[in-house]
Amino acid sequence: MEIKLPRLAMNDVAYMRETVFYEGPRFRERVSRFWILLVLASVIAAAGVASDSTATVIGAMIIAPLMVPIQGTMLATVLGDPTNLSRSIGLMLAGAAAAVGIAVLVGLLLPVDVVAENNSQVAARVHPRLIDLLAALGTGVVGSIALVRRDISDALPGVAIAISLVPPLSVVGFTLEAGALLQSIGALLLFMTNVAAILGTGIVVMALYGVNRLGEAPATQRGRRTHRRNAILVAAAMAVIVLVPLSVSSVSVTRSSLFEASVQSVSERWATDAGWRLEHVTTAPDNTVVVSVEGPLPLPDTTLLEQALRSGGLNPRQVRVVLVPAYTVDY
């Protein structure tokens, strides 16, 4: 059985324009609302990241208004509205810069740097992978359909939580202030991935619902083809921008995870044979795997671990062993 999506009417497009465009008699009111919510969301997100509080970060996601100008960029692209396109892009970029700036200021007030090594909120956002793009695409589709279909618009708060926008920008600010440039780039890539997902999926959803036919499209067939081609080029460009670095990051993270798991397996056998206990295995920022073991004196022979690593095809130069002697006193 063939399922056909319902076509939209002009009043539906008018509703979408009112929802995501900053125009008309309420222009000043809508812009001031955007900046008030953005500043508050950025402060809350910065506080949540700095305190490593997931609940606080989720609160910032819900009130953050950045998704509106991003969806405005998408709708303006589909409708061929250059005025609202430039206005939406401007608000999106200015809002993103403000969120980063607020995090930098908060970072300057803190006694310690907020980086991946000491903060789980940062660590979760500095190594985006292709799976993050998949999640962003799914939530982008839901957000776009919620914009088109008023009967499911209640899903938007869930979309705001799922497609994180302001928290990655806070991480960009904190890591910039701390001088961790690579972590900043990773968090910025996560933000760009989410933006690309909203734009790309939104353009596709709008085309499926026939929104492009209700815009102020060019009268000539050639003009319509140009309009459609420009929308496709925007989606393709955004896909390339995020796919290449995400693929590289995914390969790097996967390779690092496999190496760490192999080192952990070998180290656990070595520690058990020596009568010691493997505490934890982590990967340092320089990609060195740190193996921490604990046990009674005498210290175990680390050359045996080196030999075991080499036998397993692992490079011992990428492994650092931390020995923690344990003393037991009985009275």
Side-chain angles (χ1 to χ4, degrees), residues 142-158:
V142 175
S144 301
I145 294 177
L147 177 62
V148 174
R149 299 269 305 266
R150 302 186 207 183
D151 57 329
I152 59 173
S153 60
D154 290 342
L156 284 176

Side-chain angles (χ1 to χ4, degrees), residues 80 85 117 131 138 178 213 237 254 291 325 328:
L85 178 62
E117 290 75 23
I131 195 67
R213 294 184 174 88
T254 301
V291 178
T328 302

Side-chain angles (χ1 to χ4, degrees), residues 45-46 48-54 57 110 113-128 167-168 170-176 178 180 182-184 186-188 190:
V49 171
S51 62
D52 210 348
S53 170
T54 301
V57 171
L110 297 176
D113 292 334
V114 180
V115 290
E117 290 75 23
N118 59 18
N119 190 290
S120 65
Q121 296 295 325
V122 176
R125 292 177 171 85
V126 295
H127 295 296
S170 296
V171 172
V172 172
F174 280 127
T175 50
L176 271 180
L182 289 179
Q183 294 183 19
S184 295
L188 183 61
L190 177 60

Side-chain angles (χ1 to χ4, degrees), residues 126-143:
V126 295
H127 295 296
R129 297 165 295 170
L130 284 173
I131 195 67
D132 295 308
L133 176 60
L134 179 61
L137 289 172
T139 50
V141 170
V142 175

Side-chain angles (χ1 to χ4, degrees), residues 5-13 16 148-149 206 209-211 214:
L5 293 175
R7 292 295 175 180
L8 302 179
M10 290 301 297
N11 61 332
D12 295 312
V13 175
M16 287 188 286
V148 174
R149 299 269 305 266
M206 294 295 149
Y209 276 92
V211 175
L214 301 177

Side-chain angles (χ1 to χ4, degrees), residues 151-265:
D151 57 329
I152 59 173
S153 60
D154 290 342
L156 284 176
V159 172
I161 295 174
I163 196 156
S164 180
L165 293 171
V166 170
L169 294 173
S170 296
V171 172
V172 172
F174 280 127
T175 50
L176 271 180
E177 188 275 331
L181 183 59
L182 289 179
Q183 294 183 19
S184 295
I185 294 174
L188 183 61
L189 177 59
L190 177 60
F191 171 76
M192 291 175 61
T193 299
N194 292 334
V195 172
I198 297 173
L199 293 178
T201 56
I203 289 173
V204 173
V205 169
M206 294 295 149
L208 291 175
Y209 276 92
V211 175
N212 55 317
R213 294 184 174 88
L214 301 177
E216 297 177 2
T220 66
Q221 184 67 23
R222 181 179 180 182
R224 283 192 291 270
R225 283 199 303 267
T226 302
H227 181 205
R228 188 161 47 247
R229 184 190 65 209
N230 290 341
I232 294 173
L233 287 176
V234 169
M238 294 298 295
V240 171
I241 288 173
V242 299
L243 273 176
V244 174
L246 274 181
S247 299
V248 173
S249 178
S250 294
V251 171
S252 176
V253 170
T254 301
R255 185 181 297 145
S256 177
S257 298
L258 290 174
F259 182 76
E260 180 181 308
S262 300
V263 170
Q264 178 172 345
S265 178

